[in-house]
Amino acid sequence: MRISDLSRTTGVPVASIKFYIREGLLPRGRPTAPNQADYDKEHVERLTLIRALREVAGLPVAVIGDVVAALDGAGDGSPALTTALRALAPDGADVSAAARVTVRQLIDELDWSVDEESAGYSMLEAALTALDEHWPNGYSVERLRAYADLAGRMAEIEIPEDWDPQGKATPSLVYAVLGTILYEPVILALRRLAHADRHRRLMQ
Amino acid sequence: MRISDLSRTTGVPVASIKFYIREGLLPRGRPTAPNQADYDKEHVERLTLIRALREVAGLPVAVIGDVVAALDGAGDGSPALTTALRALAPDGADVSAAARVTVRQLIDELDWSVDEESAGYSMLEAALTALDEHWPNGYSVERLRAYADLAGRMAEIEIPEDWDPQGKATPSLVYAVLGTILYEPVILALRRLAHADRHRRLMQ
């Protein structure tokens, strides 16, 4: 398809598409004539991802560059998805020693196979640091295990048994990244609705 | 305690405490001498909440005013917590007709006792609108039901059977608001860790 069709299909303006190509976020199209190129399904998918990362996750272009580089396998040798998801995680948050200890203990108890380089690892340390600062004694390892159990069930729903781990920027990888981001507000909204339902029932 | 002790205990500067009192977010202390007042546990708790709403949820002072007014029972007659949590929800997001239909259908099927005024209701509509826009056919009512089931279990962990629904700004209400906000990043981080664990296991 031509760049105008690519723009119409994805809802991304032509000028932005050209910008993403210049920045290396999107591969060039196949040249068909001077000043004309052909774009395909892969471009549509990549643009869908870039748009979601900008508009939903609110990521700066440089970070989106890290995510797509990881998906292209241009990362540091870690599996593409781990690298891509790591690029998505906020960093630089203060982490308390107590939070560090709790996260390590929790992961040990759960026997989860994750390392400290995982995106979720530093996110959890930062979240527990904030929790402790604003609500002293507001968590326990026992309570966290209950949440972790539910998170594990979510992962089972979200990542099917036959997931192809070797793929690079295959649809399954792109949608793993999209799903991570796009379902976060869905999960938080459902939790609030579940609270409302439970409050109302307990009030009756 | 004196204002300097209140400041030390909560980590909120004296000038900010005075600002919150002027803005009506925090009740005045009990006067003990000219230019001196006594503050108690209730002030500590309120300041803890204000700080979390500012620093963790990033809410503007006007919205925090709505939340605490609701907790003080100065709201529009709805139960205090519903009003407080509604003030916390982002609003003004575009909502598609399809998302509206899906949310109604989902709530019907779940037989949840929530109304459209619930914070989670509009959050879910907005989340599904974004999901659909960035990932066409990225959700199904079946998939949402699976998430809703897990959200329901979260609510059971978070809101005990003996929760006191009649309380106003009692500890249980304040901590219901704090817990709603402070546990969101914990849940999202655990989900990412669960993904990392599952990816690694499926790769073996």
Side-chain angles (χ1 to χ4, degrees):
Chain A
M1 69 182 81
R2 298 165 69 150
I3 196 165
S4 54
D5 299 317
L6 180 63
S7 169
R8 210 171 12 251
T9 306
T10 58
V12 178
V14 169
S16 302
I17 295 176
K18 289 182 174 170
F19 170 76
Y20 294 143
I21 293 173
R22 280 199 307 277
E23 294 288 317
L25 268 58
L26 186 72
R28 293 184 183 285
R30 194 172 49 84
T32 50
N35 289 320
Q36 203 165 307
D38 188 55
Y39 299 86
D40 60 20
K41 203 170 133 281
E42 202 187 312
H43 292 90
V44 172
E45 205 164 66
R46 171 62 58 92
L47 275 176
T48 303
L49 177 65
I50 292 171
R51 214 179 131 217
L53 292 174
R54 286 209 76 161
E55 297 178 10
V56 182
L59 294 180
V61 170
V63 174
I64 297 176
D66 293 343
V67 174
V68 302
L71 290 178
D72 286 340
D76 59 2
S78 320
L81 185 63
T82 308
T83 312
L85 291 176
R86 196 158 61 221
L88 282 179
D91 58 14
D94 283 340
V95 169
S96 70
R100 241 182 258 284
V101 170
T102 303
V103 174
R104 191 160 310 182
Q105 187 189 342
L106 179 70
I107 302 293
D108 271 0
E109 286 188 19
L110 291 165
D111 195 27
W112 276 4
S113 175
V114 293
D115 57 40
E116 300 190 18
E117 298 299 301
S118 295
Y121 205 97
S122 49
M123 285 171 70
L124 185 58
E125 288 179 334
L128 294 184
T129 302
L131 187 50
D132 210 29
E133 191 180 337
H134 292 282
W135 184 359
N137 306 312
Y139 69 87
S140 63
V141 172
E142 193 188 359
R143 170 93 174 253
L144 294 175
R145 283 194 66 145
Y147 282 109
D149 177 48
L150 297 173
R153 292 185 208 194
M154 255 177 232
E156 283 171 28
I157 296 170
E158 296 177 309
I159 305 169
E161 284 286 349
D162 60 356
W163 188 75
D164 173 17
Q166 300 308 328
K168 282 185 177 183
T170 60
S172 78
L173 260 184
V174 169
Y175 288 105
V177 176
L178 274 179
T180 297
I181 292 170
L182 290 173
Y183 270 98
E184 288 189 347
V186 173
I187 291 162
L188 298 183
L190 283 169
R191 173 172 172 252
R192 296 230 188 159
L193 278 175
H195 286 173
D197 173 62
R198 188 159 166 84
H199 280 133
R200 189 161 299 187
R201 283 176 203 278
L202 291 176
M203 272 198 257
Q204 276 164 358
Chain B
M1 70 183 80
R2 297 164 69 150
I3 197 165
S4 53
D5 299 317
L6 181 63
S7 169
R8 212 172 10 252
T9 306
T10 58
V12 178
V14 169
S16 302
I17 294 175
K18 290 183 175 171
F19 170 75
Y20 295 142
I21 291 173
R22 280 198 307 276
E23 294 289 318
L25 269 58
L26 186 71
R28 293 186 183 285
R30 193 173 50 83
T32 50
N35 289 318
Q36 203 165 306
D38 188 56
Y39 299 87
D40 60 19
K41 204 172 131 278
E42 202 187 313
H43 292 91
V44 172
E45 206 164 64
R46 171 62 57 91
L47 275 176
T48 303
L49 177 65
I50 293 171
R51 214 180 131 214
L53 292 174
R54 286 208 76 161
E55 295 178 12
V56 182
L59 294 180
V61 169
V63 174
I64 297 177
D66 292 343
V67 174
V68 301
L71 290 178
D72 286 340
D76 59 2
S78 320
L81 185 63
T82 308
T83 311
L85 292 175
R86 195 159 63 225
L88 282 178
D91 59 15
D94 284 340
V95 168
S96 71
R100 242 182 258 285
V101 171
T102 303
V103 173
R104 192 159 310 181
Q105 187 189 342
L106 179 70
I107 301 293
D108 272 358
E109 286 189 19
L110 291 165
D111 194 25
W112 276 4
S113 174
V114 293
D115 58 40
E116 300 190 16
E117 298 299 302
S118 295
Y121 204 99
S122 49
M123 285 172 70
L124 185 58
E125 288 180 334
L128 293 183
T129 303
L131 187 50
D132 211 29
E133 190 181 337
H134 291 283
W135 183 359
N137 306 312
Y139 69 85
S140 63
V141 172
E142 193 188 359
R143 171 93 175 253
L144 294 174
R145 284 194 66 145
Y147 282 108
D149 177 47
L150 297 173
R153 291 184 209 196
M154 254 178 234
E156 283 170 27
I157 296 170
E158 296 178 306
I159 306 169
E161 284 286 347
D162 60 357
W163 188 75
D164 172 19
Q166 301 309 329
K168 284 185 175 182
T170 61
S172 78
L173 260 184
V174 169
Y175 289 104
V177 176
L178 275 179
T180 297
I181 291 171
L182 290 172
Y183 270 98
E184 289 188 347
V186 173
I187 291 162
L188 298 182
L190 282 169
R191 173 173 173 251
R192 296 230 188 159
L193 277 175
H195 285 173
D197 173 62
R198 187 159 166 85
H199 280 133
R200 188 161 298 186
R201 282 176 203 277
L202 291 175
M203 273 199 254
Q204 275 165 359

